[in-house]
Amino acid sequence: MRILVAYASRHGATKGIADRIAQTLKPRGYEVALEPVDQVSDVVVYDAFIVGGAAYAGHWLKEATGFVRKHREVLANRPVWLFSSGPIGTDLVDAKGRDVFEAARPAEFAEFAGTIHPRDAAIFFGAFDPDAKPIGLMERIGAPFMRMPSVREAMPAGDFRDWPQIEAWAEGIALELEVIRSSTATPV
Ligand SMILES: Cc1cc2nc3c(=O)[nH]c(=O)nc-3n(C[C@H](O)[C@H](O)[C@H](O)COP(=O)(O)O)c2cc1C
């Protein structure tokens, strides 16, 4: 089975998660391709998809959203898992008392539930380096704001990616793929 792990990452945290998922699946005997969403040339060659993107200002990165929308007909007919990278920090409840994973769910996931019916849409803690070079116009414009003490306090710096959680999620996908693989295997 050919599996595509496609990702959209601005500062590398999501890319690292996608890489760990791919590395977890490979030893299970799957042919796994790991690609940024904007470098995927052909989707029809894959049997299953894992698509991840970072969340910024409540939304999935537009490259990830664009990828899913563009290929929704293929994705709707094959097994798909989505993930989003963000929130940051270690708190499980935010300042408004909400579950941080629910609060961090990108707006687009509701749309995708109705269009491509993913088998799961996971939210993982991400990483944030306030001293990283700004990428894109919005980050350059927002850089002085990001240096304000109140913002620094609200946005904890660090790498909060939960590798055991990410690997466990990938292991769960491997188990589901195994069921699919055995149900589609040609009898001898
Ligand atoms: C300006 C800014 C806005 C962010 N907005 C959100 C958000 O709305 N929801 C969320 O869960 N995480 C948010 N984050 C955290 C990022 O999603 C997190 O740092 C992510 O892991 C970054 O992934 P990347 O390195 O692949 O770009 C934000 C981070 C920054 C710097």
Side-chain angles (χ1 to χ4, degrees):
M1 282 179 90
R2 296 183 75 180
I3 317 297
L4 176 65
V5 182
Y7 61 88
S9 179
R10 199 182 275 170
H11 289 283
T14 314
K15 179 182 180 185
I17 295 171
D19 182 54
R20 184 64 63 94
I21 292 166
Q23 298 315 323
T24 306
L25 293 175
K26 273 182 191 164
R28 302 307 188 97
Y30 300 105
E31 199 181 321
V32 183
L34 175 68
E35 302 257 25
V37 285
D38 49 11
Q39 285 176 29
V40 177
S41 52
D42 192 5
V43 292
V44 294
V45 298
Y46 297 104
D47 302 299
F49 298 84
I50 299 158
V51 187
Y56 284 91
H59 294 273
W60 228 25
L61 277 181
K62 68 178 189 314
E63 294 83 357
T65 296
F67 176 85
V68 172
R69 287 184 182 151
K70 180 178 174 188
H71 299 295
R72 66 180 173 275
E73 285 179 16
V74 172
L75 298 181
N77 289 299
R78 298 186 195 187
V80 178
W81 290 262
L82 304 178
F83 74 87
S84 184
S85 145
I88 46 178
T90 54
D91 291 344
L92 298 177
V93 176
D94 72 10
K96 293 180 182 164
R98 300 173 303 179
D99 178 319
V100 289
F101 294 111
E102 281 312 310
R105 187 165 292 274
E108 293 74 17
F109 277 18
E111 169 193 329
F112 299 146
T115 55
I116 61 160
H117 315 295
R119 286 172 175 247
D120 193 18
I123 313 293
F124 296 126
F125 278 119
F128 173 54
D129 175 3
D131 300 317
K133 193 168 177 277
I135 293 177
L137 184 63
M138 290 313 288
E139 286 199 3
R140 285 200 292 280
I141 292 170
F145 171 76
M146 297 298 289
R147 284 193 288 272
M148 287 165 59
S150 58
V151 176
R152 289 231 164 183
E153 199 180 318
M155 297 192 57
D159 185 347
F160 305 100
R161 290 172 293 180
D162 183 339
W163 297 115
Q165 183 197 17
I166 292 161
E167 285 170 9
W169 190 68
E171 298 282 1
I173 292 174
L175 288 176
E176 284 194 61
L177 288 171
E178 192 49 52
V179 172
I180 295 166
R181 181 159 62 181
S182 43
S183 69
T184 55
T186 314
V188 284

